[in-house]
Amino acid sequence: MVRRPPVGYQNWRRLLFLHWPVPAADLRPLVPGCLSIDTFDGTAFVGLIPFAVEAARPLGTPPEVGLRFLETNVRTYVRLDGDEPGVFFFSLDAASLMAVIGARLTLGLPYFWAAGHEDVSDRQVDYLLRRRTGEQPTARVRYQIGDDLGIAATGSLEHFLIERYRFHQQRGRTLWTVEVAHRPYPLQRAHVEALADELVRAAGISVPGEPPLAHFASGVDVQVFAPRVRLQGARA
């Protein structure tokens, strides 16, 4: 695959990765047919990822004028033609109207305008994000940052869930693939003290009642590359 030139940069900070196992059959009606559901030992996963974006800006723009906002993603993991493992987004909620409009227009991503608040005290984070439209689903989580885990080992569940460097998204009759590049996530344990989420349910997904798998990463600096666009069923 030939990587396109970078078109922008983002700094992702204080990422909480929450994951639940779900039957792949439950996700199949929600994911475009050209993408297969990626599984780990036969199990599919849905993720809720609250984090902060800093210095989001296009190529040629200094970090000082980049956008800063909170964002929460609902996602699962897919492959294209059995290859190209990536992310499929059910929703992306961002507390920046400019970011939402830009991502919807340029990439066709299912972004929603939201309001958010984050309190960080020592190793505790209290995070709240509420969608401004529709039924205004919310995601609120309070968690403690735990011990260092290091970089996820290749072949591990953590690597499967977290080390993803592209997303695939349907836009009309075309499939858009966007790659990003950054160093591997510096993972830490995360201990969830309270979680009240409505965003996963708003995406049409039911998750088990047990607590999710939880991992934390302090942050990575990200390059975003130009998308590849192709008719569904065609290879680029």
Side-chain angles (χ1 to χ4, degrees), residues 34-53:
C34 59
L35 300 172
S36 58
I37 308 295
D38 204 359
T39 62
F40 186 88
D41 288 342
T43 300
F45 288 84
V46 62
L48 178 74
I49 321 296
F51 65 108
V53 177

Side-chain angles (χ1 to χ4, degrees), residues 90-226:
F90 298 107
S91 65
L92 308 94
D93 286 76
S96 167
L97 182 58
M98 186 178 297
V100 169
I101 292 173
R104 278 188 169 271
L105 290 177
T106 60
L107 298 175
L109 284 167
Y111 262 91
F112 297 90
W113 188 25
H117 181 74
E118 181 188 45
D119 283 326
V120 182
S121 176
D122 192 19
R123 298 176 73 84
Q124 180 172 289
V125 180
D126 197 336
Y127 181 106
L128 171 66
L129 186 138
R130 176 179 288 108
R131 188 176 297 172
R132 292 177 180 265
T133 59
E135 297 183 357
Q136 299 184 329
T138 64
R140 181 164 191 171
V141 59
R142 185 177 69 248
Y143 63 95
Q144 290 278 350
I145 303 168
D147 298 336
D148 292 341
L149 295 172
I151 296 169
T154 302
S156 67
L157 176 59
E158 290 78 12
H159 192 276
F160 172 88
L161 295 173
I162 294 169
E163 293 298 328
R164 298 275 172 162
Y165 292 83
R166 66 171 62 87
F167 69 78
H168 303 293
Q169 210 72 23
Q170 182 176 334
R171 190 174 187 181
R173 296 182 59 246
T174 60
L175 184 74
W176 290 52
T177 297
V178 174
E179 293 190 301
V180 300
H182 57 76
R183 68 187 176 109
Y185 286 104
L187 295 179
Q188 295 174 251
R189 299 186 190 280
H191 306 286
V192 176
E193 298 178 340
L195 173 63
D197 169 64
E198 298 170 336
L199 293 177
V200 173
R201 186 175 71 246
I205 302 166
S206 297
V207 297
E210 66 260 22
L213 300 172
H215 302 86
F216 175 81
S218 57
V220 291
D221 297 342
V222 182
Q223 299 179 75
V224 182
F225 295 90

